[in-house]
Amino acid sequence: MKNSKQPAVPLPEKPAFICLHKVGFAHCDPAGIVFYPRYFEMVNATVEEWFEARLGFGFARIHGAMEAAVPTASINVDFMQPSRLGEVLHFHLYVTRLGRSSLDVHIRAGGGDAAADAPLTAATTRFQMNATLVFTKKGVTGSAPWPDDLRAALEREITKQDQHDT
Amino acid sequence: MKNSKQPAVPLPEKPAFICLHKVGFAHCDPAGIVFYPRYFEMVNATVEEWFEARLGFGFARIHGAMEAAVPTASINVDFMQPSRLGEVLHFHLYVTRLGRSSLDVHIRAGGGDAAADAPLTAATTRFQMNATLVFTKKGVTGSAPWPDDLRAALEREITKQDQHDT
Amino acid sequence: MKNSKQPAVPLPEKPAFICLHKVGFAHCDPAGIVFYPRYFEMVNATVEEWFEARLGFGFARIHGAMEAAVPTASINVDFMQPSRLGEVLHFHLYVTRLGRSSLDVHIRAGGGDAAADAPLTAATTRFQMNATLVFTKKGVTGSAPWPDDLRAALEREITKQDQHDT
Amino acid sequence: MKNSKQPAVPLPEKPAFICLHKVGFAHCDPAGIVFYPRYFEMVNATVEEWFEARLGFGFARIHGAMEAAVPTASINVDFMQPSRLGEVLHFHLYVTRLGRSSLDVHIRAGGGDAAADAPLTAATTRFQMNATLVFTKKGVTGSAPWPDDLRAALEREITKQDQHDT
């Protein structure tokens, strides 16, 4: 297992969102492990589900009525251990920075027998990544400021992930 | 267009390998631009083609007779401009480091009307990435040293990309 | 909407299995609708889930310990209406024939507001297909007979789907 | 190898279009053979390339300026033999019927050492399919008549494929 080359990002107390993805036949390569571009499909689905279920902004609405998009601007990822056919992976998403028109998230995926919300350790983490997402508007070059209501929803997520469960 | 956050890696004089990929319907999302996980399929195909055409080690042989694999251990990527349906992208691959059992490559993809081997500029680059690949052997935990013949082929590529065309 | 060209296959009373798939960004094309090869990934995931959850034969076991596979030999499909980003589709799977080493299934997927187990009508069906799956063993040319325990599990599914709910 | 269940469609003298696709790592499943949904991505790319290179109607133009699409309405396919990592497959496309707003094509893909334009035999064919494509216009329910210039281009393809090479 390799050591991460990623710049250390201090993580909040707990993830803002946890999403499960089962490794299917379509995700696996001739070595019987997940082909890494398929991980990014799972990552994208995690972000989509988070936007819809927690923020109240589904991608159908963002790409439809809002005429906007949330493209990925950069990714820094370490693949630490392979994942195999039939495994259920736990995706933990943390918001690490909210900018005027961008958003940094840390996403790590783990497997094994632990509960989905158990902290992921070096022994169970399959990959961890930092990504920057940006808000864009159709017909506007470059990024655009987060709309107020979407920004407010993102801020609630940040507050929530720093709260201790007491 | 965003500035790269990537650590600057000094690039050789010229790419070791150039490969073209046409953006098809299957690569595009509802915004009409390439969905980024599809870029990684193109990146993987670029590496495969390089291994087969230049190094003489096709993935069928590596995964077959050699009982080995060349998984990706880490990626650092900046998406700079979108790519659209029907465009032909030029993938430029540089070897930036050869380790005992790993390999760092820089891959950047560009579009536009320039020749496929024209240097990619800020205006034409769609994304640029640094990736670390490792050599692994079936049944062996962790990475394994590059076999001598494959290492020799990689070293020839490094030498070649530093030669001036005179 | 087109009329089906498929040969009519008499369907059992109720499906053997129902599975939900949400249409994500990764499934959609530049027209904003599901790109049909992605439907087949969902179909494959439906069959996998059925094998694991109902038959007790996960694909990890079939491809692993059993050294076998269940490839698709033929498909006959009619795409009747498009599906859009954010929709939850209901996949209904019927067993229509069990052979010595093959299996015919009818799969139809529907959307809309009806319950997942409501019968799919012409107004709600997105596609319907007949497919033949075969059982194969590693190293054996052609198909192989279903193992007794897997055959017994398939026969239970057939029995179950013909029972009235009374 | 299975016998085809497909209704026999009389084929023209020679294919209208031949397109090569190399089987890459991204196309293969844990059994080391092409995962069938990836075949449909290759089929779609074949049709796209044919439309652009021969008919003069690229999909970027069809989905862009023409505000139209060419969705697939039905498919009937037999998978006859598996294809493996590293193989180059020859896709042969025949037009079998041109309707007012639809198009029937027969596509078969073969491998092996024969030339790309050598007739595909039972021994070399990996799959064969009949598909119906339809022309649709944005905002119009159902199919729409082929535009005159696109129809004329399709008719030239039909004429060409019935000509003997003399």
Side-chain angles (χ1 to χ4, degrees):
Chain A
M1 189 176 127
K2 64 182 291 301
N3 289 322
S4 172
K5 293 187 193 171
Q6 293 190 52
V9 174
L11 290 187
E13 185 78 12
K14 58 187 178 191
F17 189 59
I18 294 175
C19 188
L20 304 189
H21 292 286
K22 187 166 187 174
V23 176
F25 203 66
H27 302 123
C28 294
D29 69 17
I33 62 176
V34 173
F35 179 54
Y36 81 79
R38 310 297 170 225
Y39 275 139
F40 292 115
E41 297 185 39
M42 297 179 196
V43 162
N44 210 69
T46 300
V47 171
E48 275 177 83
E49 192 61 25
W50 176 53
F51 264 71
E52 179 162 343
R54 293 293 179 84
L55 304 178
F57 287 80
F59 270 41
R61 176 180 168 195
I62 291 176
H63 282 266
M66 291 173 66
E67 297 197 320
V70 189
T72 299
S74 66
I75 292 173
N76 194 323
V77 61
D78 290 303
F79 300 104
M80 298 157 93
Q81 291 181 98
S83 301
R84 295 180 193 287
L85 181 59
E87 287 192 290
V88 176
L89 303 182
H90 313 148
F91 282 64
H92 289 203
L93 179 152
Y94 299 83
V95 181
T96 53
R97 191 189 61 84
L98 174 60
R100 194 190 64 100
S101 60
S102 67
L103 180 71
D104 285 358
V105 292
H106 177 89
I107 297 177
R108 50 177 63 190
D113 295 329
D117 61 353
L120 300 178
T121 66
T124 58
T125 300
R126 306 307 169 78
F127 72 85
Q128 59 184 31
M129 65 185 271
N130 295 311
T132 298
L133 310 177
V134 295
F135 187 76
T136 63
K137 290 283 289 178
K138 197 176 173 180
V140 176
T141 302
S143 60
W146 296 105
D148 288 346
D149 47 3
L150 179 46
R151 166 176 286 279
L154 287 165
E155 285 172 344
R156 279 193 299 273
E157 292 291 291
I158 292 174
T159 302
K160 202 182 60 185
Q161 67 187 359
D162 283 322
Q163 285 171 339
H164 291 266
D165 293 316
T166 53
Chain B
M1 190 176 126
K2 65 182 293 300
N3 289 323
S4 172
K5 293 187 193 171
Q6 293 191 50
V9 174
L11 290 188
E13 185 78 12
K14 59 188 178 190
F17 189 58
I18 294 174
C19 189
L20 305 188
H21 293 285
K22 188 166 187 175
V23 177
F25 203 66
H27 301 122
C28 294
D29 69 18
I33 61 177
V34 173
F35 179 54
Y36 81 78
R38 311 294 170 227
Y39 275 139
F40 292 114
E41 297 184 39
M42 297 180 196
V43 162
N44 210 69
T46 300
V47 171
E48 275 177 83
E49 191 61 24
W50 176 52
F51 264 70
E52 179 163 343
R54 292 293 178 84
L55 304 179
F57 287 80
F59 271 41
R61 176 182 167 195
I62 290 176
H63 283 265
M66 292 173 67
E67 297 198 320
V70 189
T72 299
S74 66
I75 294 173
N76 194 323
V77 60
D78 290 303
F79 300 104
M80 297 156 94
Q81 293 181 97
S83 300
R84 297 180 191 287
L85 181 58
E87 286 192 291
V88 176
L89 303 182
H90 314 148
F91 281 64
H92 289 203
L93 179 152
Y94 299 83
V95 181
T96 53
R97 191 188 61 84
L98 174 60
R100 194 189 65 100
S101 60
S102 68
L103 180 71
D104 286 359
V105 293
H106 176 90
I107 297 177
R108 51 177 62 191
D113 295 329
D117 61 353
L120 300 179
T121 66
T124 59
T125 300
R126 306 307 169 79
F127 72 85
Q128 59 185 31
M129 66 185 271
N130 294 312
T132 298
L133 311 177
V134 294
F135 187 75
T136 62
K137 289 283 291 178
K138 197 175 174 180
V140 177
T141 302
S143 60
W146 296 106
D148 288 346
D149 47 2
L150 179 45
R151 165 176 287 279
L154 287 165
E155 285 171 343
R156 279 194 299 274
E157 292 291 290
I158 292 173
T159 303
K160 202 181 61 185
Q161 68 187 359
D162 282 321
Q163 285 171 339
H164 292 264
D165 293 316
T166 51
Chain C
M1 190 177 125
K2 65 181 293 300
N3 290 322
S4 172
K5 292 186 192 172
Q6 293 191 52
V9 174
L11 290 188
E13 185 78 12
K14 58 186 179 192
F17 189 59
I18 295 175
C19 189
L20 305 189
H21 292 286
K22 187 165 187 174
V23 177
F25 203 66
H27 302 123
C28 293
D29 69 16
I33 61 176
V34 173
F35 180 54
Y36 81 80
R38 310 296 171 226
Y39 275 140
F40 292 114
E41 296 184 40
M42 297 180 195
V43 162
N44 210 69
T46 300
V47 170
E48 275 177 84
E49 192 60 26
W50 175 53
F51 265 70
E52 179 163 343
R54 294 294 178 83
L55 304 178
F57 286 80
F59 270 40
R61 176 180 168 195
I62 290 176
H63 283 266
M66 292 173 66
E67 297 199 319
V70 189
T72 300
S74 66
I75 293 172
N76 194 324
V77 59
D78 290 303
F79 300 103
M80 298 157 94
Q81 292 181 99
S83 300
R84 296 181 191 286
L85 181 59
E87 287 192 291
V88 175
L89 303 182
H90 314 147
F91 282 64
H92 289 203
L93 179 153
Y94 299 83
V95 181
T96 53
R97 190 187 61 83
L98 174 61
R100 194 189 65 99
S101 60
S102 68
L103 179 71
D104 286 358
V105 293
H106 176 90
I107 297 177
R108 51 177 62 191
D113 296 328
D117 61 352
L120 300 178
T121 66
T124 59
T125 300
R126 305 308 167 78
F127 72 85
Q128 58 185 30
M129 64 184 272
N130 295 311
T132 298
L133 311 177
V134 295
F135 187 76
T136 62
K137 290 283 289 178
K138 197 175 172 180
V140 177
T141 303
S143 60
W146 296 105
D148 288 346
D149 46 4
L150 179 45
R151 165 176 288 279
L154 287 165
E155 285 171 344
R156 280 195 297 274
E157 291 292 291
I158 292 173
T159 303
K160 202 181 59 184
Q161 67 186 359
D162 283 321
Q163 285 171 339
H164 291 265
D165 293 316
T166 52
Chain D
M1 190 176 127
K2 65 182 292 300
N3 289 323
S4 172
K5 293 187 192 173
Q6 293 191 50
V9 174
L11 290 188
E13 185 77 13
K14 58 187 178 191
F17 190 58
I18 294 174
C19 189
L20 304 189
H21 293 285
K22 187 165 186 174
V23 177
F25 203 64
H27 302 122
C28 293
D29 69 17
I33 61 177
V34 174
F35 179 55
Y36 80 80
R38 311 295 170 228
Y39 275 140
F40 293 115
E41 296 185 39
M42 297 180 195
V43 162
N44 210 69
T46 300
V47 170
E48 274 176 85
E49 191 61 25
W50 176 52
F51 264 70
E52 179 162 343
R54 292 294 177 83
L55 305 178
F57 287 80
F59 270 41
R61 176 181 168 193
I62 290 176
H63 283 265
M66 292 173 67
E67 297 198 321
V70 190
T72 300
S74 66
I75 293 173
N76 194 322
V77 60
D78 290 303
F79 300 103
M80 298 157 93
Q81 292 181 100
S83 300
R84 296 180 193 286
L85 181 59
E87 286 192 291
V88 176
L89 303 182
H90 313 147
F91 282 63
H92 289 203
L93 179 153
Y94 299 84
V95 181
T96 53
R97 190 189 61 84
L98 175 60
R100 194 191 64 100
S101 60
S102 68
L103 180 71
D104 286 358
V105 292
H106 176 91
I107 296 177
R108 52 176 62 190
D113 296 328
D117 61 352
L120 300 178
T121 66
T124 58
T125 301
R126 304 308 167 79
F127 72 85
Q128 59 185 30
M129 64 185 273
N130 295 311
T132 298
L133 311 177
V134 295
F135 187 76
T136 62
K137 289 283 289 178
K138 198 176 173 179
V140 177
T141 302
S143 60
W146 296 106
D148 287 346
D149 46 2
L150 179 45
R151 165 176 288 280
L154 287 165
E155 285 172 343
R156 280 194 298 273
E157 291 292 291
I158 292 173
T159 304
K160 202 181 61 184
Q161 68 187 358
D162 283 321
Q163 284 171 341
H164 292 265
D165 293 316
T166 51

